Amino acid sequence: MEMQKVKRKKQSLKGSTLVEVMVTMLIFSILMGALYMSMNVSQTAWAVNSAQIGLQRELRKAMEQMKKEIFETGSIAINDVPANGNWYPSIRIRRPAGLSANSSIVWQANMIQYILGGADLTELHQINSVGPTVDIVAHNIQSVQFRRQSETPDVVEVALVGEDATLKGDPLTYQLNFKIELRN
């Protein structure tokens, strides 16, 4: 009986071989490498999506502001964008001030202009001719263009292009085109 206990103790004291340790380390290294790659891919995707959402937010903010302002104007109150189908880098508009005695629209004297500005020309500016005051509507705008067609002079087409970069420096570009039907 005593002999069996000694044999069992010897078997239980048996350690791992070098090959078993190396195989275990190899499997562990492969799992850790896969985990690292997965985290790296996820982090890159998060950074790209975050930058893309920010860029889209800036373009939508610019679109909403311009829609609100340009919608209120009329085709006779638009300067710098004739109805000839060509694209123009800025637009100047007048807003309605009210109605005259004969029920025709009276336009405000001041003009509002949308144009790229800033030190590196990547800010969409709204310039009010009274003052003049400059408001930054959106950032990271690469280009803005306006046009009207001769067949539809009461519709202003707008093309916005935004450009930004991820934290790793990868460039992102997003384009937003929309039409605004003039109210007056």
Side-chain angles (χ1 to χ4, degrees), residues 55-120:
L55 184 57
Q56 290 173 352
R57 180 178 40 231
E58 288 296 312
L59 289 171
R60 280 193 303 270
K61 184 170 60 171
M63 177 186 71
E64 291 302 320
Q65 179 68 32
M66 286 189 287
K67 273 186 169 182
K68 184 173 73 173
E69 292 286 338
I70 295 172
F71 171 74
E72 293 293 328
T73 196
S75 61
I76 62 168
I78 294 178
N79 291 18
D80 303 336
V81 183
N84 61 9
N86 294 329
W87 289 101
Y88 295 92
S90 71
I91 189 170
R92 288 186 304 150
I93 61 170
R94 292 183 192 275
R95 290 187 281 189
L99 295 174
S100 67
N102 64 355
S103 297
S104 61
I105 298 173
V106 176
W107 301 99
Q108 293 180 0
N110 68 313
M111 298 193 84
I112 294 174
Q113 181 179 25
Y114 286 97
I115 191 168
L116 288 181
D120 53 357

Side-chain angles (χ1 to χ4, degrees), residues 92-160:
R92 288 186 304 150
I93 61 170
R94 292 183 192 275
R95 290 187 281 189
L99 295 174
S100 67
N102 64 355
S103 297
S104 61
I105 298 173
V106 176
W107 301 99
Q108 293 180 0
N110 68 313
M111 298 193 84
I112 294 174
Q113 181 179 25
Y114 286 97
I115 191 168
L116 288 181
D120 53 357
L121 297 177
T122 59
E123 297 173 342
L124 180 63
H125 286 186
Q126 179 193 52
I127 303 170
N128 191 330
S129 65
V130 174
T133 60
V134 177
D135 293 323
I136 299 172
V137 176
H139 299 277
N140 300 323
I141 306 298
Q142 190 64 34
S143 74
V144 60
Q145 294 184 341
F146 304 90
R147 81 171 171 188
R148 294 189 304 153
Q149 302 288 349
S150 57
E151 309 84 48
T152 54
D154 290 340
V155 175
V156 176
E157 295 177 59
V158 182
L160 282 171

